[in-house]
Amino acid sequence: MKIFLDTANLESIKKFNDMGLLDGITTNPSLLSKEKGNPKDAMEEITKIIKGDVSLEVVSTEYSGMMEEGKRLREYGDNVVVKVPMTPDGLKACKSLSSEGIPVNVTLIFSPNQALLAAKSGAKYVSPFIGRLDDIGEDGMHLIKEIKEIFSNYNFGTEILVASIRHPVHVIDAAKIGADVVTLPPAVLDKMMKHPLTKIGLENFLADWEKLKAGNPDIKI
Ligand code: G3P
């Protein structure tokens, strides 16, 4: 399973990229609006820092605008994946951009039929938003299961990019289903690394080592 970071925050991107944990980045206008400075500079820098796919989103709502913006976004780097919304114009732009060799991520997917249509339109990724479904009392993870089953039935090459992840259990469930990618807020990736027993265990090891050293001052690992 690939791990993407869902942020436009350069500090977090550098931190987790330096750890070797990141396969890509997803951004959207809301995430860009949380950061200071020029969003164009941020988008350009992200595409340079990250070797894997970087999703950058169009803001036009009609086909020709999406095509223009998609091509402009793609100038930031060969790793740019153009993110379009799940609308009729978005699907049309997905089909055209994909036929021109520009990879597309269809975002704001909330139903299996939307995912099916995006796959048929040549999307490299579909982004189902599971947290937002949970928020309204629906089962976000059930959507991932349904999309997985449909894509497997027809051998679609489109990857399931699980988005709107809110906590580490979402990641475990997505991995059990076999989703291709999870895109994580930095806080969720941080939490995935931690366990109280790891912390306590390490403290105990170090305390015991200090005791051992007290009797053998020259000892080294
Ligand atoms: O990648 C989509 C994601 O940013 C949406 O997350 O938490 O705003 O539903 P959220």
Side-chain angles (χ1 to χ4, degrees), residues 20-215:
L21 283 174
L22 299 185
D23 299 299
I25 297 289
T26 51
T27 66
N28 60 40
S30 306
L31 293 171
L32 283 166
S33 76
K34 290 183 185 160
E35 305 304 323
K36 294 198 184 84
N38 185 338
K40 285 177 88 175
D41 295 340
M43 290 193 280
E44 195 170 2
E45 182 145 11
I46 295 169
T47 58
K48 290 203 172 79
I49 299 170
I50 296 293
K51 294 225 164 23
D53 284 350
V54 176
S55 286
L56 303 177
E57 189 162 337
V58 300
V59 287
S60 279
T61 53
E62 42 73 43
Y63 171 74
S64 59
M66 287 183 193
M67 290 301 291
E68 242 173 68
E69 289 177 5
K71 287 177 186 175
R72 268 210 304 278
L73 289 170
R74 182 73 179 169
E75 284 169 13
Y76 287 117
D78 288 344
N79 54 346
V80 169
V81 174
V82 176
K83 212 174 184 189
V84 302
M86 176 58 223
T87 60
D89 284 63
L91 287 182
K92 193 174 166 193
C94 176
K95 184 84 185 173
S96 301
L97 290 165
S98 303
S99 335
E100 291 181 33
I102 299 177
V104 177
N105 175 355
V106 179
T107 189
L108 292 168
I109 299 267
F110 293 97
S111 79
N113 276 331
Q114 289 180 322
L116 175 61
L117 293 175
K120 295 273 300 172
S121 303
K124 176 167 186 184
Y125 299 107
V126 289
S127 291
F129 277 30
I130 57 165
R132 291 192 194 181
L133 281 170
D134 291 355
D135 287 346
I136 60 160
E138 292 189 25
D139 181 355
M141 206 51 71
H142 183 65
L143 173 61
I144 304 304
K145 277 190 203 131
E146 288 186 295
I147 299 173
K148 176 77 184 168
E149 187 181 340
I150 292 166
F151 283 12
S152 308
N153 284 346
Y154 297 101
N155 284 326
F156 283 127
T158 304
E159 295 181 42
I160 305 171
L161 191 167
V162 184
S164 186
I165 282 181
R166 300 283 164 73
H167 50 70
V169 178
H170 273 154
V171 183
I172 297 168
D173 290 342
K176 281 156 96 175
I177 294 167
D180 303 283
V181 192
V182 284
T183 189
L184 307 176
V188 173
L189 187 47
D190 249 329
K191 284 181 193 159
M192 283 169 66
M193 284 180 229
K194 294 180 182 155
H195 194 285
L197 291 179
T198 305
K199 187 171 181 282
I200 293 166
L202 181 59
E203 284 165 3
N204 287 341
F205 285 153
L206 295 179
D208 288 340
W209 179 250
E210 286 308 313
K211 280 184 220 152
L212 210 140
K213 255 175 56 179

